Amino acid sequence: MTKQNRINLVLGLIAALLSLILIVDAPQPASSPNQPLTDLDPQQIQSITLALGDGQPPTLELSRDADGWVLTAPVSMRADDMAIGEILRLLTLTSARRIDPDLVDLNAIRMDPPLWRVSLDDQTFEIGGREALSGDRYVQHQGQIHLLPDLNPARLDNNYADLVSRRLLPADPHIQSIHLPEQDVTLLQNDSAELFAHWRNAEAQWLVRPSKLDFDDVRERVTITLENASIDFLIRSREPRLELIRPDLDLMYMLPASASQELLGR
């Protein structure tokens, strides 16, 4: 080996060693450990506002009281705490990835406009589409877009039937009388304690918003008289399931066909 070759070899080894040192000692990019979207405590949230991203009505408003959550607009009634819990879960979801909104096509990910807007107290979250591969949901909060585990869309749109209590009557109702359509008779507590108990505890399997065609199918109604109010339920169907429309709330309660015997006497 010539002297020049030896010099070149030594220089090459030195260069390789320096490169290795630089690689080992170079600062690595800071990892982005998965963290909850916020540090807010779901139990401390006092108000919720739900709106469609394009601003179409209605906007749903809920507030917390001593007994749980209440839908205050567009109608007033007790909310289902489990359904509200799915919304508040948004606060504790882990952000798998953060994206600068200026570096992404907002229209492509359904963020311009977003699909839904959720306000929890004074914090607003804009919710868009899903990433194709992971199924994660795009959520914009405080100037950043996050990829979060998917949410239940039924809890976020403007259909309050997915949020309210499935009970037919308020909790612990003091029923004064029940008017049954088929017998055209008004019953008092002493007439049928079992029937009154069924109504006090009745709960739908699910609820929907009735259409005009549903109202057109109504032929009968049952009236429940409480201490300070009367509630009408329109009987849309008895089979294959019992379907009761409460027109003042624009809700239809879906129950099994067996509930027809329990609530209507046949």
Side-chain angles (χ1 to χ4, degrees):
M1 179 181 294
T2 66
K3 180 178 180 181
Q4 186 60 47
N5 286 340
R6 286 198 299 269
I7 292 173
N8 291 339
L9 178 60
V10 171
L11 291 175
L13 291 173
I14 293 173
L17 180 60
L18 289 174
S19 297
L20 180 60
I21 292 172
L22 289 174
I23 292 172
V24 172
D25 290 344
Q28 299 299 310
S31 61
S32 252
N34 289 345
Q35 296 179 344
L37 182 60
T38 76
D39 58 2
L40 297 176
D41 181 356
Q43 297 303 315
Q44 299 302 313
I45 299 298
Q46 298 299 311
S47 66
I48 299 173
T49 301
L50 303 174
L52 296 181
D54 60 6
Q56 292 295 310
T59 295
L60 309 188
E61 298 178 4
L62 302 106
S63 63
R64 188 196 294 266
D65 64 16
D67 297 320
W69 284 92
V70 179
L71 178 70
T72 58
V75 298
S76 178
M77 64 181 301
R78 181 63 55 185
D80 181 80
D81 287 340
M82 183 176 296
I84 303 306
E86 290 189 44
I87 298 172
L88 295 176
R89 173 174 163 265
L90 174 65
L91 297 175
T92 60
L93 291 177
T94 296
S95 177
R97 186 168 140 218
R98 301 186 181 192
I99 305 168
D100 186 334
D102 294 332
L103 303 179
V104 66
D105 182 351
L106 296 178
N107 186 62
I109 62 174
R110 308 293 301 277
M111 292 293 293
D112 186 23
L115 297 175
W116 309 287
R117 285 188 174 90
V118 179
S119 295
L120 306 176
D121 287 348
D122 60 351
Q123 301 279 335
T124 298
F125 305 82
E126 296 185 341
I127 300 172
R130 298 170 61 195
E131 186 184 54
L133 294 179
S134 68
D136 289 345
R137 182 75 64 174
Y138 292 101
V139 176
Q140 182 162 308
H141 177 59
Q142 295 185 338
Q144 288 285 307
I145 294 177
H146 303 259
L147 271 175
L148 303 178
D150 197 14
L151 304 160
N152 182 352
R155 309 303 190 193
L156 304 175
D157 60 21
N158 61 358
N159 183 4
Y160 58 81
D162 296 316
L163 298 177
V164 297
S165 170
R166 291 180 289 116
R167 292 181 58 87
L168 270 65
L169 298 176
D172 301 320
H174 297 288
I175 303 175
Q176 303 295 304
S177 66
I178 300 174
H179 181 81
L180 298 177
E182 189 169 31
Q183 300 92 330
D184 193 22
V185 62
T186 299
L187 301 177
L188 303 178
Q189 173 74 31
N190 293 337
D191 297 320
S192 180
E194 185 177 23
L195 178 69
F196 275 62
H198 286 319
W199 273 99
R200 278 194 295 270
N201 299 313
E203 188 170 290
Q205 293 177 309
W206 74 93
L207 293 85
V208 299
R209 300 284 300 281
S211 67
K212 182 182 182 302
L213 291 177
D214 292 323
F215 280 99
D216 290 343
D217 288 338
V218 170
R219 297 292 181 270
E220 304 173 293
R221 77 175 60 210
V222 57
T223 300
I224 311 298
T225 302
L226 307 179
E227 278 185 327
N228 55 3
S230 290
I231 300 175
D232 287 331
F233 288 93
L234 310 181
I235 304 172
R236 191 258 176 196
S237 171
R238 294 175 184 254
E239 292 181 347
R241 56 180 171 261
L242 178 61
E243 299 174 349
L244 300 175
I245 298 175
R246 186 166 166 181
D248 60 321
L249 298 177
D250 197 30
L251 287 172
M252 184 157 65
Y253 296 77
M254 319 295 280
L255 300 99
S258 59
S260 182
Q261 173 66 39
E262 297 170 353
L263 300 178
L264 304 177
R266 80 161 179 85

